[in-house]
Amino acid sequence: MVTEDLARLAGERVDHRFKGLPPDADGLTVGELAAQRRNLFTGGFATPVLALSAERLEHNLALMETYATRHGLAFAPHGKTTMAPQLFRQQIERGAWGITLAVPHQVRVARAFGIQRVFLANELVDPAALRWISAELDADPEFRLVCYVDSVRGVELMDAALQGAARPLDVVIELAAGEGARTGVRTEAECAAVADAVAGTGTLRLVGVAGYEGEVPQADPERVHAWLRRLVALAVDFDRAGRFKDTDEIVVSAGGSAWFDAVADEFAEIPELSAPVLKLLRSGAYVSHDDGHYRKLTPFNRVPEEGALEPAFRLWAQVVSRPTTDQAFVNAGKRDAAYDLDLPFAQVVRRDGAEHPATGISVTALSDQHAWLRTTQEADLEVGDWLGMGLSHPCTSFDKWQLIPVAEADGTVVDYIRTFF
């Protein structure tokens, strides 16, 4: 079934919906276009065009598979970063427990492509979505979904929506990362009250505790480790109180892409509990990595002996205007490039089949369809040149492109990644 689901993507027709692709490819299926192995630079692709490096994508997938195995962690990468079923499948084939998602629509996408385990790292109180998920659980004994709860009121709403369900919905108590953080229960006493509310229903089953250390206020190693120790202690206290008596596996989950080394350290200290512990890491941005936010914060900078992720995205745009000696414009803007944390980074200039470093070129602003460039005397840049740019924060890159070429180092496009946002 999974193979058939992904084959649907290869059978999709290329047309105007997919920006950057060769206009003369209209009418071909994605599979047919991939089989042509066109070159990104000479095969008719139009700027702007976002590409994934085939080699770097493979490197990042392999590195995190090895990391999770080495540290005894189950892995449910956060799929909301990519919303790409092909990448979901590659991650699962590399040993991932399942996929982490954030909202019901994303779960529907995952289920449409055969994903059997989902960790929903969010509260879920919408009755229509709860009834749909309940129907999925009842219809498929192999499907498992775990989601957050953080309030007695939320438990009441979930219970009301799930009346009549054949299977209970598995939930974990979300422990907030601190005062002023995002969602989650603020105190251990309140966690116990929410757990009591879950135990009072017949529609929910408490299976663990979870949270997101990336929300720790003024995060640094000391604060992040301290919060993770609170999370582990909460799991231990709940187990001693018999709160996990109805589950044969206790879930303890955390892990974004900035502090997964701290998660590995603290989860290694989880003592033996009344049932096996699923130590679930949820980092997702590692797939493409980036040239900005996560490149600066990656745990591999702190523990270089573990390896290094590699930025896999490059956005190519064309110089369309060079009005002054210190200014230029390319035809990619906010609709094309991630910009919520940092602007793109000028990396390489391509002209007549040759490339040279983007010396003296910097991106200073983005309009809807233009990037503003500042150029110094060292800049070698002309109208018509292609500018390759690195991106910051992959979470807002995948959502701007519905079909992304995967290119080898020489520009040969070997695949296309379909996204669903």
Side-chain angles (χ1 to χ4, degrees):
M1 175 63 75
V2 172
T3 301
E4 293 177 1
D5 292 334
L6 292 179
R8 297 202 315 267
L9 297 179
E12 193 168 11
R13 295 288 173 182
V14 176
D15 58 25
H16 60 276
R17 292 171 296 164
F18 306 122
K19 59 185 180 180
L21 298 192
D24 67 350
D26 277 12
L28 295 176
T29 67
V30 173
E32 289 168 345
L33 180 57
Q36 292 182 356
R37 296 177 65 85
R38 296 196 187 196
N39 188 278
L40 186 69
F41 308 110
T42 62
F45 290 84
T47 57
V49 60
L50 180 69
L52 270 170
S53 163
E55 295 87 355
R56 292 185 171 197
L57 177 62
E58 170 63 23
H59 169 84
N60 292 344
L61 288 166
L63 183 63
M64 284 302 289
E65 176 189 18
T66 301
Y67 184 88
T69 300
R70 182 185 303 126
H71 291 279
L73 299 169
F75 192 31
H78 215 317
K80 62 92 175 172
T81 301
T82 68
M83 285 309 297
Q86 293 145 288
L87 296 180
F88 294 173
R89 183 50 47 191
Q90 290 181 48
Q91 290 166 318
I92 289 172
E93 288 173 351
R94 290 179 172 278
W97 171 90
I99 298 297
T100 297
L101 297 167
V103 293
H105 160 71
Q106 295 168 357
V107 182
R108 291 189 64 192
V109 172
R111 289 298 287 161
F113 290 92
I115 302 302
Q116 289 292 78
R117 289 175 176 168
V118 171
F119 188 96
L120 187 67
N122 205 349
E123 281 67 30
L124 178 59
V125 296
D126 181 271
L130 283 161
R131 287 192 292 267
W132 175 79
I133 286 172
S134 180
E136 289 287 298
L137 291 167
D138 290 350
D140 184 355
E142 300 301 316
F143 175 46
R144 185 180 185 193
L145 184 139
V146 180
C147 73
Y148 283 173
V149 291
D150 76 348
S151 68
V152 172
R153 173 61 174 165
V155 170
E156 293 169 348
L157 291 171
M158 296 174 78
D159 183 45
L162 293 170
Q163 290 300 309
R167 289 175 61 187
L169 176 61
D170 288 346
V171 298
V172 291
I173 304 294
E174 183 194 6
L175 177 66
E179 289 300 323
R182 200 165 56 189
T183 55
V185 185
R186 265 41 183 179
T187 69
E188 280 73 4
E190 291 172 301
C191 286
V194 176
D196 287 341
V198 171
T201 74
T203 58
L204 304 175
R205 181 175 67 155
L206 183 64
V207 298
V209 298
Y212 174 45
E213 76 291 340
E215 282 290 312
V216 170
Q218 298 176 314
D220 61 21
E222 182 179 353
R223 291 185 176 93
V224 169
H225 279 270
W227 177 81
L228 285 163
R229 287 192 290 271
R230 278 186 67 199
L231 183 69
V232 170
L234 181 64
V236 172
D237 290 346
F238 272 17
D239 189 52
R240 288 174 179 164
R243 296 189 184 279
F244 300 134
K245 60 183 174 59
D246 294 327
T247 182
D248 56 6
E249 180 180 68
I250 299 169
V251 178
V252 182
S253 180
S257 293
W259 296 100
F260 55 77
D261 57 330
V263 174
D265 290 345
E266 296 301 334
F267 280 14
E269 301 301 317
I270 297 176
E272 184 175 344
L273 301 181
S274 63
V277 178
L278 184 72
K279 303 174 184 179
L280 197 61
L281 180 69
R282 305 195 307 270
S283 311
Y286 80 96
V287 176
S288 61
H289 199 42
D290 63 29
D291 283 287
H293 180 70
Y294 286 121
R295 191 169 193 172
K296 292 180 287 188
L297 295 178
T298 176
F300 292 122
N301 290 339
R302 296 187 288 271
V303 281
E305 63 273 17
E306 296 271 19
L309 294 168
E310 297 179 351
F313 268 141
R314 180 163 282 175
L315 176 63
W316 290 95
Q318 193 167 29
V319 180
V320 294
S321 180
R322 189 82 160 93
T324 68
T325 57
D326 62 358
Q327 194 176 39
F329 294 86
V330 294
N331 62 345
K334 292 180 180 179
R335 307 299 181 220
D336 313 298
Y339 63 92
D340 58 324
L341 294 179
D342 294 295
L343 293 171
F345 306 93
Q347 294 177 327
V348 63
V349 176
R350 186 177 181 88
R351 180 190 305 151
D352 299 329
E355 294 183 3
H356 62 265
T359 305
I361 303 170
S362 58
V363 180
T364 60
L366 293 178
S367 299
D368 282 353
Q369 298 296 169
H370 292 93
W372 297 57
L373 307 182
R374 178 182 296 119
T375 57
T376 67
Q377 290 182 345
E378 293 78 21
D380 180 9
L381 193 68
E382 299 177 356
V383 170
D385 289 348
W386 281 34
L387 179 68
M389 294 175 284
L391 300 176
S392 173
H393 202 213
C395 293
T396 52
S397 296
F398 281 96
D399 62 340
K400 300 178 186 299
W401 296 84
Q402 291 183 300
L403 197 60
I404 303 171
V406 179
E408 294 179 339
D410 66 357
T412 301
V413 176
V414 295
D415 200 1
Y416 296 83
I417 300 297
R418 183 72 158 92
T419 66
F420 293 85
F421 281 91

